[in-house]
Amino acid sequence: SQQGEEDPQALSIQEGENATMNCSYKTSINNLQWYRQNSGRGLVHLILIRSNEREKHSGRLRVTLDTSKKSSSLLITASRAADTASYFCATDSGGSYIPTFGRGTSLIVHP
Amino acid sequence: KAGVTQTPRYLIKTRGQQVTLSCSPISGHRSVSWYQQTPGQGLQFLFEYFSETQRNKGNFPGRFSGRQFSNSRSEMNVSTLELGDSALYLCASRPGTGVEKLFFGSGTQLSVL
């Protein structure tokens, strides 16, 4: 079963625009991660934010976490065609540290 | 360091057959996890192995099994294949079970006819 759910399911933007994806989850978490997957390939880790953190940055990526609303957002600034991919949030809770993934947001950036 | 290596990349089987998928983790990583990815269900956790022991298991039938060798390489086996087993099977490694970040292989695309 999915713990996190991304929104929107699909997003289509022009190069240079910002892309915002959201993730909502159901139970308390230890950490929330964002991953990226190019078509038919493995996932690549982008960023991790812990439950006691509110915001993290990595290059053109900005992640926020609101534990009171059980939600997170991933912002990609100045999007490029190469950012075209599916983006997944993954949460872990309890002592297992097993990330549970959402269904992903499919991002298309038009050149 | 070499990344996570999964073989084969593509596999076609027929219903009722069995299949074995292989995963070589990043050198030094002792934890290997397996995920099934389908368009309908997304990414579903199968199991995790650490030091040759299964540490965590997802909600899959007993037809799905795995093992890990002393060199941390892992294999996943699916017996009595069903059409619904068609999926991308992803292997991921990490240094230990308490480390959150996963390093994924490119996956094995299994088609069951």
Side-chain angles (χ1 to χ4, degrees), chain B residues 17-59:
Chain B
Q17 288 187 310
Q18 74 162 17
V19 66
T20 299
L21 312 181
S22 179
C23 172
S24 293
I26 291 172
S27 177
H29 286 194
R30 297 169 63 190
S31 165
V32 174
S33 298
W34 289 89
Y35 287 83
Q36 179 196 67
Q37 185 177 27
T38 59
Q41 297 298 317
L43 273 148
Q44 302 282 321
F45 171 73
L46 281 156
F47 29 65
E48 179 184 33
Y49 285 86
F50 178 80
S51 293
E52 303 179 64
T53 301
Q54 188 179 89
R55 291 300 182 96
N56 294 284
K57 188 177 189 304
N59 189 25

Side-chain angles (χ1 to χ4, degrees), chain A:
Chain A
S1 62
Q2 263 66 36
Q3 155 76 309
E5 290 294 337
E6 292 88 346
D7 174 67
Q9 289 187 5
L11 184 59
S12 180
I13 60 173
Q14 295 294 129
E15 210 166 31
E17 294 180 339
N18 294 341
T20 300
M21 288 159 266
N22 302 296
C23 170
S24 59
Y25 56 91
K26 299 170 186 170
T27 63
S28 296
I29 61 171
N30 299 323
N31 310 281
L32 186 144
Q33 303 177 65
W34 285 91
Y35 288 79
R36 165 184 149 158
Q37 182 181 35
N38 288 88
S39 181
R41 310 295 293 183
L43 282 73
V44 175
H45 182 268
L46 295 175
I47 199 165
L48 178 151
I49 187 166
R50 302 194 187 280
S51 60
N52 62 354
E53 297 175 313
R54 292 297 167 257
E55 187 171 313
K56 285 192 86 168
H57 297 256
S58 177
R60 294 184 294 112
L61 306 180
R62 173 179 170 249
V63 169
T64 60
L65 178 64
D66 187 335
T67 53
S68 66
K69 295 181 179 178
K70 292 186 171 57
S71 68
S72 172
S73 68
L74 170 67
L75 168 68
I76 304 174
T77 59
S79 296
R80 305 165 182 169
D83 294 328
T84 294
S86 291
Y87 292 81
F88 295 85
C89 70
T91 59
D92 68 86
S93 56
S96 71
Y97 295 99
I98 300 292
T100 302
F101 290 81
R103 297 181 189 274
T105 291
S106 175
L107 172 67
I108 297 175
V109 182
H110 299 279

Side-chain angles (χ1 to χ4, degrees), chain B residues 39-107:
Chain B
Q41 297 298 317
L43 273 148
Q44 302 282 321
F45 171 73
L46 281 156
F47 29 65
E48 179 184 33
Y49 285 86
F50 178 80
S51 293
E52 303 179 64
T53 301
Q54 188 179 89
R55 291 300 182 96
N56 294 284
K57 188 177 189 304
N59 189 25
F60 277 83
R63 299 186 298 107
F64 292 82
S65 63
R67 60 177 176 169
Q68 187 180 34
F69 302 95
S70 58
N71 61 357
S72 293
R73 190 176 71 85
S74 178
E75 288 182 346
M76 191 194 98
N77 184 274
V78 188
S79 62
T80 318
L81 284 166
E82 301 177 358
L83 295 178
D85 297 333
S86 294
L88 180 65
Y89 289 88
L90 292 163
C91 165
S93 76
R94 50 185 177 174
T97 56
V99 177
E100 305 87 355
K101 177 179 173 181
L102 294 172
F103 297 81
F104 281 85
S106 295

